[in-house]
Every structure is written in structure tokens, then in C-alpha cells.
């Protein structure tokens, strides 16, 4: 299996039989309020095929901000942003897009509106569902939202699905456990790099994760070790989570 320049994770590729190795990045970008150029450098250094973003810009000229980040990162906007209350999907031109849908979750009065950016894409002969999420800070609402994420996974109807995002909860918490009752945690399946994701300057808690349905083979998942520490702390208050997964061609 070919590795990236650091030898840390397999590089993207499509096999002759149509199976594919896909690089997935999950990243909370704090509304691009920090160093935008450092943020783009981090994303480019991860060489992702898809990026599941949380806290994308949601207000004035949000589409322009998202498009600029995509362009600086060598990617294109797939779906999400303000229409998903913050989650956003970016992808490379390697992805063939079948459909997208932005989903707003029920609003609890007095709390921040949450949503999901979703899509179905193809890499080689494999169809992949994507769900970017950012769960609530409140425990009961977060648990309910985890159930709604699983409902959306089922509704996508894809043979493989990736769920990634800022779960605002550590492994073992009720919402995290609800999700991993159905989905596999990439860090637990194939840890690479480091695990803690927040805060970026002194990470001590793993609240960001990449999860997948059965059949997705994790080749490695974690915070990449090769990224510039100065860029990581300048870009946003979370560290990125990068996974390489293998998707077998559909029969």
C-alpha cells in the first residue's frame, strides 16, 4: 500500500477492481476567525479527498468565505455552511457527487441551532455517504442529536457511510457511546498519530472523531504527527482528525 510523504497514512488511490483508498479529514475551524492561511496549509498538508468541517462561517458572505477556503485548500465546496447551521463538506475533484442535503436539527429554545451537512459521493466503484455534525454542548440534547445522526445514516441508504465531527463529548459519554453502538470509531480501530483534539495549544481531550459503518476498513486515524505546530495553533482551537479508509468495490 502506497504511503503519503510522511509514511503516516496510505495515499489516495483507486484499484483496478474499483475499490478505493480515501483520505477523510474532520476539522472544527471556529468560523475561520483565526489565521485563514494557516488553516488552508493544514488542510493541504493532510491531502484529503473529503473534509467534514464544523463551525464553518454562517453569517455575512458565508458562501464567499467557504469558497475561498476551498480554493486555498485545493478543494471545492460540496454542501453545508449556514444552510446546515455550521457543518460543511469540501471535496477534491476525485469525488463523483451523487447528491447532497443539508439538514437542520430540532431547535431547543435558548440553545444554538444545530444541523448536518450530508452527501453521497463515489470513489471508483464505491458509494460513500458523508455526515458532518457538531453536537450540542448540553448533555440531553447531545444524546438526542446522536440518535438523529444515526437516523440520517440509515436514510442515506449507502453501503458505506462516514460520520465525523465535533461531538463535544469524550469517548464513554452517553452520546459518543450511542454513536459507537452502531458505528466504529476510527481511532479505536486503527490509531495513528495522536488522539486528543482540544484545545489545539494543549490538547487533553478527544472530542472530535471519525466514525464509520461496518465494511469501511480503517487503515489509520488520528491527529497527524507531521503538521506544523505553529500552523495548528494559529488555524483554530481544535486539532484535525485524519483517516485513511479502504472501500471495497460494490458487487
Amino acid at each position: 500500500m502506497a504511503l503519503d510523504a510522511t509514511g503516516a497514512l496510505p495515499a489516495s488511490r483507486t484499484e483496478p477492481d474499483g475499490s478505493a483508498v480515501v483520505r477523510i479529514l474532520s476539522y472544527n475551524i471556529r468560523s475561520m476567525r483565526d489565521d485563514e492561511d494557516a488553516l488552508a496549509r493544514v488542510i493541504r498538508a493532510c491531502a484529503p479527498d473529503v473534509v467534514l468541517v464544523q463551525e464553518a462561517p454562517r453569517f455575512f458572505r458565508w458562501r464567499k468565505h467557504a469558497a475561498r477556503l476551498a480554493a486555498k485548500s485545493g478543494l471545492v465546496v460540496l454542501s453545508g455552511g449556514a444552510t446546515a447551521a455550521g457543518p460543511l463538506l469540501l471535496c477534491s475533484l476525485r469525488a463523483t457527487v451523487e447528491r447532497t442535503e443539508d439538514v437542520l436539527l430540532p431547535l431547543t429554545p435558548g440553545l444554538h441551532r444545530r444541523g448536518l451537512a450530508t452527501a453521497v459521493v463515489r470513489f471508483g466503484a464505491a458509494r460513500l455517504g458523508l455526515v458532518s455534525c457538531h453536537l450540542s454542548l448540553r448533555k440531553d440534547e447531545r444524546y438526542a442529536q446522536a440518535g438523529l445522526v444515526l437516523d440520517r445514516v440509515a436514510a442515506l441508504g449507502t453501503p458505506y457511510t462516514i460520520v465525523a465531527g465535533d461531538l463535544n463529548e469524550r469517548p464513554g459519554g452517553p452520546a459518543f457511546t450511542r454513536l459507537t453502538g452502531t458505528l466504529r470509531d476510527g481511532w479505536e480501530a486503527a490509531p495513528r498519530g495522536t488522539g486528543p483534539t482540544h484545545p489545539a495549544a494543549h490538547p487533553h481531550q478527544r472530542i472530535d472523531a471519525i466514525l464509520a459503518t461496518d465494511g469501511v476498513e480503517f487503515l489509520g486515524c488520528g491527529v497527524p504527527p507531521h503538521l506544523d505546530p505553529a500552523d495548528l495553533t494559529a488555524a483554530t482551537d481544535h486539532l484535525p482528525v485524519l483517516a485513511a479508509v479502504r472501500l471495497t468495490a460494490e458487487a
Side-chain angles (χ1 to χ4, degrees), residues 203-223:
H204 61 84
Q205 55 182 350
R206 185 167 74 91
I207 61 173
D208 303 85
I210 297 177
L211 314 173
T213 54
D214 289 341
V216 175
E217 180 186 358
F218 280 102
L219 305 175
C221 180
V223 178

Side-chain angles (χ1 to χ4, degrees), residues 139-215:
K139 184 177 180 180
D140 59 341
E141 186 180 47
R142 188 165 62 240
Y143 183 80
Q145 289 171 351
L148 295 172
V149 168
L150 294 176
D151 290 345
R152 182 55 47 176
V153 169
L156 286 176
T158 48
Y160 310 112
T161 301
I162 295 288
V163 173
D166 178 353
L167 305 184
N168 270 319
E169 187 173 281
R170 302 182 188 191
F176 208 120
T177 300
R178 187 173 193 179
L179 290 169
T180 54
T182 298
L183 306 172
R184 295 169 60 242
D185 180 356
W187 170 254
E188 291 292 338
R192 291 284 183 90
T194 58
T197 60
H198 184 265
H202 303 285
H204 61 84
Q205 55 182 350
R206 185 167 74 91
I207 61 173
D208 303 85
I210 297 177
L211 314 173
T213 54
D214 289 341

Side-chain angles (χ1 to χ4, degrees), residues 33-88:
R33 296 199 304 266
D34 301 288
D35 187 329
E36 187 177 306
D37 291 330
L39 179 63
R41 286 194 296 270
V42 170
I43 295 173
R44 287 198 309 271
C46 291
D49 296 299
V50 293
V51 186
L52 293 89
V53 172
Q54 302 83 48
E55 288 195 39
R58 297 183 294 115
F59 300 110
F60 184 63
R61 294 184 176 175
W62 65 270
R63 288 184 175 86
K64 181 177 180 180
H65 293 306
R68 187 172 66 243
L69 176 63
K72 286 184 175 183
S73 305
L75 303 167
V76 296
V77 174
L78 180 53
S79 69
T83 49
L88 174 75

Side-chain angles (χ1 to χ4, degrees), residues 55-132:
E55 288 195 39
R58 297 183 294 115
F59 300 110
F60 184 63
R61 294 184 176 175
W62 65 270
R63 288 184 175 86
K64 181 177 180 180
H65 293 306
R68 187 172 66 243
L69 176 63
K72 286 184 175 183
S73 305
L75 303 167
V76 296
V77 174
L78 180 53
S79 69
T83 49
L88 174 75
L89 296 173
L90 307 177
C91 68
S92 72
L93 296 179
R94 184 177 176 228
T96 299
V97 182
E98 288 193 2
R99 67 180 190 271
T100 65
E101 183 179 5
D102 299 331
V103 179
L104 292 176
L105 300 179
L107 175 64
T108 300
L111 296 182
H112 174 64
R113 189 67 180 259
R114 304 284 174 170
L116 310 173
T118 78
V120 176
V121 297
R122 283 189 291 109
F123 292 95
R127 293 171 66 243
L128 178 66
L130 301 170
V131 180
S132 179

